[in-house]
Amino acid sequence: MPPYQRGAALHGMGAAIEYAVRDLKVDHIVVLGHGHCGGIKALLNAADGHWPDRDFIGDWVAMALGACKHYVRDDDAEGGRREVSIARLKANPDLVERAAILGSLDNLMTYPWLAARVEAGDLVIHGWWFDIESGDLWATEPGRRQLLPVD
Ligand SMILES: [Zn+2]
């Protein structure tokens, strides 16, 4: 989900979310990601210098790189947090798949009329990640930014 941005470009995702939130008045929004995601693989390749030879896909998947850098961190020797190398992320794409979901939840909250409904307790946004290998579903608790396996 891209962040809130008005202006010249056509925003298909923004229009879909606006219609759902302001007109249909949905009660829940689920951002569903999954294992073995080709989009995340393309993101990691782009971040590693191999931009896809496509018109739209590179910019679209690169949108998740900020979330990846924010949510996938490693402890350093001084007890702080540091960025994880692209090589390590490529070896653990599930971390990036889940980070992209959390980034989409953050981006959803940049839509002012959506955030107002969430803050009023009138709309709940959920992150879900489907593990294709095991069949497990991971989910966020409402209001939290951590994906955990569902019992
Ligand atoms: Zn995918």
Side-chain angles (χ1 to χ4, degrees), residues 74-123:
D74 210 358
D75 295 325
D76 66 21
E78 289 82 44
R81 306 283 279 166
R82 66 174 175 216
E83 254 179 51
V84 176
S85 70
I86 294 297
R88 281 193 59 203
L89 294 175
K90 286 180 98 166
N92 300 281
D94 56 309
L95 297 176
V96 181
E97 291 158 0
R98 293 192 289 268
I101 294 165
L102 299 177
S104 283
L105 295 176
D106 291 341
N107 286 347
L108 279 172
M109 289 299 286
T110 66
Y111 291 72
W113 25 263
L114 183 151
R117 284 196 56 205
V118 170
E119 283 155 14
D122 186 42
L123 169 66

Coordinates of all heavy atoms in Angstrom, one line a residue, residues 74-123:
D74 N 19.0 -5.6 13.2 CA 19.8 -6.5 13.9 C 20.5 -5.9 15.1 O 20.7 -4.7 15.1 CB 20.9 -7.0 12.9 CG 21.3 -8.4 13.1 OD1 20.8 -9.0 14.1 OD2 22.2 -8.9 12.4
D75 N 20.7 -6.6 16.1 CA 21.4 -6.1 17.3 C 22.9 -5.9 17.0 O 23.5 -6.8 16.4 CB 21.3 -7.0 18.5 CG 19.8 -7.1 19.0 OD1 19.1 -6.1 18.9 OD2 19.4 -8.2 19.4
D76 N 23.4 -4.7 17.3 CA 24.9 -4.6 17.1 C 25.6 -4.8 18.5 O 24.9 -5.1 19.5 CB 25.2 -3.2 16.5 CG 24.9 -2.1 17.4 OD1 24.8 -2.3 18.6 OD2 24.8 -0.9 16.9
A77 N 26.9 -4.8 18.4 CA 27.7 -5.1 19.6 C 27.4 -4.2 20.8 O 27.5 -4.6 22.0 CB 29.2 -5.0 19.3
E78 N 27.0 -3.0 20.6 CA 26.7 -2.0 21.7 C 25.3 -2.1 22.1 O 24.8 -1.2 22.9 CB 27.0 -0.6 21.2 CG 28.5 -0.3 21.1 CD 29.1 -0.8 19.7 OE1 28.4 -0.6 18.7 OE2 30.2 -1.4 19.7
G79 N 24.5 -3.1 21.7 CA 23.1 -3.2 22.1 C 22.2 -2.3 21.3 O 21.0 -2.2 21.7
G80 N 22.7 -1.7 20.3 CA 21.8 -0.9 19.4 C 21.3 -1.7 18.3 O 21.4 -2.9 18.3
R81 N 20.6 -1.0 17.3 CA 20.0 -1.7 16.2 C 20.7 -1.2 14.9 O 20.9 0.0 14.8 CB 18.5 -1.5 16.2 CG 17.8 -1.8 17.5 CD 17.6 -3.3 17.7 NE 16.4 -3.7 16.9 CZ 16.2 -5.0 16.7 NH1 17.0 -5.9 17.1 NH2 15.1 -5.3 16.0
R82 N 21.0 -2.2 14.0 CA 21.6 -1.8 12.8 C 20.9 -2.4 11.6 O 20.2 -3.4 11.8 CB 23.1 -2.2 12.8 CG 23.2 -3.7 12.8 CD 24.6 -4.2 12.6 NE 24.6 -5.6 12.7 CZ 25.6 -6.3 13.3 NH1 26.6 -5.7 13.8 NH2 25.5 -7.6 13.4
E83 N 21.1 -1.8 10.4 CA 20.5 -2.3 9.2 C 21.1 -3.7 8.9 O 22.3 -3.9 9.2 CB 20.8 -1.4 8.0 CG 19.6 -0.6 7.6 CD 19.9 0.3 6.5 OE1 20.5 -0.1 5.5 OE2 19.6 1.5 6.6
V84 N 20.3 -4.6 8.3 CA 20.8 -5.9 7.9 C 21.2 -5.8 6.4 O 20.5 -5.1 5.6 CB 19.6 -6.9 8.1 CG1 20.0 -8.3 7.6 CG2 19.2 -7.0 9.5
S85 N 22.2 -6.5 6.0 CA 22.7 -6.4 4.7 C 21.7 -7.0 3.7 O 20.9 -7.9 4.1 CB 24.1 -7.1 4.5 OG 23.9 -8.5 4.7
I86 N 21.8 -6.5 2.5 CA 20.9 -7.1 1.4 C 21.2 -8.6 1.2 O 20.3 -9.4 1.0 CB 21.1 -6.3 0.1 CG1 20.6 -4.9 0.2 CG2 20.4 -7.0 -1.1 CD1 19.2 -4.7 0.5
A87 N 22.4 -9.0 1.3 CA 22.8 -10.4 1.2 C 22.0 -11.2 2.2 O 21.5 -12.3 1.9 CB 24.3 -10.6 1.3
R88 N 22.0 -10.8 3.5 CA 21.3 -11.5 4.5 C 19.8 -11.5 4.3 O 19.1 -12.5 4.6 CB 21.6 -11.0 5.9 CG 23.0 -11.5 6.4 CD 23.2 -11.2 7.9 NE 22.2 -11.8 8.7 CZ 21.9 -11.4 9.9 NH1 22.5 -10.4 10.5 NH2 21.0 -12.0 10.7
L89 N 19.3 -10.4 3.8 CA 17.8 -10.3 3.5 C 17.5 -11.3 2.4 O 16.4 -11.9 2.5 CB 17.4 -8.9 3.2 CG 17.6 -7.8 4.3 CD1 17.2 -6.5 3.7 CD2 16.7 -8.2 5.5
K90 N 18.3 -11.4 1.4 CA 18.1 -12.3 0.3 C 18.0 -13.7 0.8 O 17.3 -14.5 0.2 CB 19.1 -12.1 -0.8 CG 18.9 -10.8 -1.6 CD 19.9 -10.7 -2.7 CE 19.3 -11.1 -4.0 NZ 20.2 -10.7 -5.2
A91 N 18.8 -14.0 1.8 CA 18.7 -15.4 2.4 C 17.5 -15.6 3.3 O 17.2 -16.7 3.7 CB 20.0 -15.6 3.2
N92 N 16.8 -14.5 3.7 CA 15.7 -14.6 4.6 C 14.5 -13.7 4.1 O 14.1 -12.8 4.8 CB 16.1 -14.1 6.0 CG 17.2 -15.0 6.6 OD1 17.0 -16.1 7.1 ND2 18.4 -14.5 6.5
P93 N 14.0 -14.0 2.9 CA 13.0 -13.1 2.3 C 11.7 -13.0 3.1 O 11.0 -12.1 3.0 CB 12.8 -13.7 0.9 CG 13.2 -15.1 1.0 CD 14.4 -15.1 2.0
D94 N 11.5 -14.0 3.9 CA 10.2 -14.0 4.7 C 10.3 -12.8 5.7 O 9.2 -12.2 6.0 CB 10.0 -15.3 5.5 CG 11.2 -15.7 6.4 OD1 12.4 -15.7 5.9 OD2 11.0 -15.9 7.6
L95 N 11.5 -12.4 6.2 CA 11.6 -11.2 7.0 C 11.1 -10.0 6.3 O 10.4 -9.1 6.8 CB 13.0 -11.0 7.5 CG 13.6 -12.1 8.4 CD1 15.0 -11.9 8.7 CD2 12.8 -12.3 9.7
V96 N 11.5 -9.9 5.0 CA 11.1 -8.8 4.2 C 9.7 -8.8 3.8 O 9.0 -7.8 3.8 CB 12.0 -8.7 2.9 CG1 11.7 -7.5 2.1 CG2 13.5 -8.7 3.4
E97 N 9.1 -10.0 3.6 CA 7.7 -10.1 3.3 C 6.9 -9.6 4.4 O 5.9 -8.9 4.2 CB 7.4 -11.6 3.0 CG 7.9 -12.1 1.7 CD 8.1 -13.6 1.6 OE1 7.7 -14.3 2.6 OE2 8.6 -14.1 0.6
R98 N 7.3 -9.9 5.6 CA 6.5 -9.5 6.8 C 6.7 -8.0 7.0 O 5.8 -7.3 7.4 CB 6.9 -10.3 8.0 CG 6.4 -11.8 7.9 CD 6.4 -12.6 9.1 NE 7.8 -12.9 9.6 CZ 8.4 -14.0 9.2 NH1 7.8 -15.0 8.5 NH2 9.7 -14.3 9.7
A99 N 8.0 -7.5 6.8 CA 8.2 -6.1 7.0 C 7.4 -5.2 6.0 O 6.9 -4.2 6.4 CB 9.7 -5.8 6.8
A100 N 7.2 -5.7 4.8 CA 6.4 -5.0 3.8 C 5.0 -4.9 4.2 O 4.3 -3.9 4.0 CB 6.5 -5.7 2.4
I101 N 4.5 -5.9 4.9 CA 3.1 -5.9 5.4 C 3.0 -4.8 6.5 O 2.1 -3.9 6.5 CB 2.7 -7.2 6.0 CG1 2.6 -8.3 4.9 CG2 1.4 -7.1 6.7 CD1 2.6 -9.7 5.4
L102 N 4.0 -4.7 7.4 CA 3.9 -3.7 8.5 C 4.1 -2.3 7.9 O 3.4 -1.4 8.3 CB 5.1 -4.0 9.5 CG 4.9 -5.4 10.2 CD1 6.1 -5.6 11.1 CD2 3.6 -5.5 10.9
G103 N 4.9 -2.2 6.8 CA 5.0 -0.9 6.2 C 3.7 -0.5 5.5 O 3.4 0.7 5.5
S104 N 3.0 -1.4 5.0 CA 1.7 -1.1 4.4 C 0.7 -0.6 5.4 O -0.1 0.3 5.2 CB 1.1 -2.3 3.6 OG 1.8 -2.5 2.4
L105 N 0.8 -1.3 6.6 CA -0.1 -0.8 7.7 C 0.3 0.6 8.1 O -0.6 1.5 8.3 CB 0.0 -1.7 8.9 CG -0.5 -3.2 8.7 CD1 -0.2 -4.0 9.9 CD2 -1.9 -3.2 8.3
D106 N 1.6 0.9 8.2 CA 2.0 2.3 8.5 C 1.5 3.3 7.4 O 1.0 4.3 7.7 CB 3.5 2.4 8.6 CG 4.1 1.7 9.8 OD1 3.3 1.4 10.7 OD2 5.3 1.4 9.8
N107 N 1.6 2.8 6.1 CA 1.2 3.7 5.0 C -0.3 3.9 5.1 O -0.8 5.0 4.8 CB 1.6 3.1 3.7 CG 3.1 3.3 3.4 OD1 3.8 4.0 4.2 ND2 3.6 2.6 2.5
L108 N -1.1 2.9 5.4 CA -2.5 3.1 5.5 C -2.9 4.2 6.5 O -3.8 5.0 6.3 CB -3.2 1.8 6.0 CG -3.5 0.7 4.9 CD1 -4.0 -0.6 5.5 CD2 -4.5 1.2 3.8
M109 N -2.1 4.2 7.6 CA -2.4 5.2 8.6 C -2.1 6.6 8.2 O -2.4 7.6 8.9 CB -1.7 4.8 9.9 CG -2.3 3.6 10.6 SD -4.0 3.8 11.1 CE -3.8 4.9 12.5
T110 N -1.4 6.8 7.0 CA -1.2 8.2 6.5 C -2.4 8.7 5.8 O -2.4 9.9 5.5 CB 0.1 8.2 5.6 OG1 -0.2 7.5 4.4 CG2 1.3 7.7 6.3
Y111 N -3.4 7.9 5.6 CA -4.7 8.4 4.9 C -5.5 9.0 6.1 O -6.0 8.3 6.9 CB -5.4 7.3 4.2 CG -4.6 6.8 3.0 CD1 -3.5 6.0 3.1 CD2 -5.1 7.1 1.7 CE1 -2.8 5.6 2.0 CE2 -4.4 6.7 0.6 CZ -3.2 5.9 0.7 OH -2.5 5.5 -0.4
P112 N -5.7 10.3 6.1 CA -6.3 11.0 7.3 C -7.7 10.5 7.6 O -7.9 10.3 8.8 CB -6.3 12.5 6.9 CG -6.0 12.6 5.4 CD -5.3 11.3 5.0
W113 N -8.5 10.2 6.7 CA -9.9 9.7 7.0 C -9.9 8.3 7.5 O -10.7 7.9 8.2 CB -10.8 10.0 5.8 CG -10.2 10.0 4.5 CD1 -9.8 11.1 3.8 CD2 -9.7 8.9 3.7 NE1 -9.1 10.8 2.6 CE2 -9.1 9.4 2.5 CE3 -9.8 7.5 3.9 CZ2 -8.6 8.6 1.5 CZ3 -9.3 6.7 2.9 CH2 -8.7 7.2 1.7
L114 N -8.9 7.5 7.0 CA -8.7 6.1 7.5 C -8.2 6.1 9.0 O -8.7 5.5 9.8 CB -7.8 5.4 6.6 CG -7.6 3.9 6.9 CD1 -7.2 3.2 5.6 CD2 -6.5 3.6 7.9
A115 N -7.1 6.9 9.2 CA -6.6 7.0 10.5 C -7.6 7.5 11.5 O -7.7 7.0 12.7 CB -5.4 8.0 10.5
A116 N -8.5 8.5 11.1 CA -9.5 9.0 12.0 C -10.5 7.8 12.4 O -10.9 7.8 13.6 CB -10.3 10.1 11.3
R117 N -10.8 7.0 11.5 CA -11.7 5.9 11.8 C -11.0 4.9 12.7 O -11.6 4.3 13.6 CB -12.3 5.2 10.6 CG -13.4 6.0 9.9 CD -14.1 5.2 8.8 NE -14.7 4.1 9.5 CZ -15.1 3.0 8.8 NH1 -14.9 2.9 7.5 NH2 -15.6 1.9 9.4
V118 N -9.7 4.6 12.5 CA -9.0 3.6 13.3 C -8.9 4.2 14.7 O -9.2 3.5 15.7 CB -7.6 3.4 12.7 CG1 -6.7 2.6 13.7 CG2 -7.7 2.6 11.4
E119 N -8.5 5.5 14.8 CA -8.4 6.1 16.2 C -9.7 6.2 16.9 O -9.7 6.2 18.1 CB -7.7 7.5 16.0 CG -6.2 7.3 15.7 CD -5.5 8.4 15.0 OE1 -6.2 9.5 14.9 OE2 -4.4 8.3 14.5
A120 N -10.8 6.2 16.2 CA -12.1 6.3 16.8 C -12.6 4.9 17.2 O -13.7 4.7 17.8 CB -13.1 6.9 15.9
G121 N -11.8 3.8 16.9 CA -12.2 2.5 17.2 C -13.3 1.9 16.2 O -14.0 0.9 16.5
D122 N -13.4 2.6 15.1 CA -14.5 2.3 14.1 C -14.0 1.4 13.0 O -14.8 0.9 12.2 CB -15.0 3.6 13.6 CG -16.2 3.5 12.7 OD1 -17.1 2.7 13.1 OD2 -16.3 4.2 11.7
L123 N -12.7 1.2 12.9 CA -12.1 0.4 11.8 C -10.8 -0.2 12.3 O -10.1 0.4 13.1 CB -11.7 1.4 10.6 CG -10.8 0.9 9.5 CD1 -11.6 -0.2 8.7 CD2 -10.4 2.0 8.6

